[in-house]
Amino acid sequence: GGVSGSVVIAVTGSTVAVSGPTALASGQSGAYIVSVKDSKGLGVPGTLVTVTSANGNTIASPSLTTDGTGNVNLTVTATVAG
């Protein structure tokens, strides 16, 4: 047998930013970019990003992995008012 364990390490200075339309009309779709950056402002590739809508709108591919620049592209369709 082997020995295993885990340690929680606090990471500070990382950021997640979302860019795209600030509002969508019912039935309209919008393209968004989610950017994950480290404390030096560099993109973090290979990070799983999961996005949800508080109003229950449709998100195409809500779980994606950041590309080499730390970004994911996703589409939101406004299906619920609010």
Side-chain angles (χ1 to χ4, degrees), residues 12-58:
T12 59
S14 298
T15 61
V16 176
V18 179
S19 61
T22 57
L24 297 171
S26 182
Q28 183 181 21
S29 294
Y32 292 83
I33 299 172
V34 178
S35 301
V36 180
K37 297 189 179 190
D38 65 15
S39 60
K40 294 180 182 177
L42 302 173
V44 181
T47 300
L48 179 64
V49 174
T50 301
V51 179
T52 60
S53 168
N55 291 341
N57 291 297
T58 302

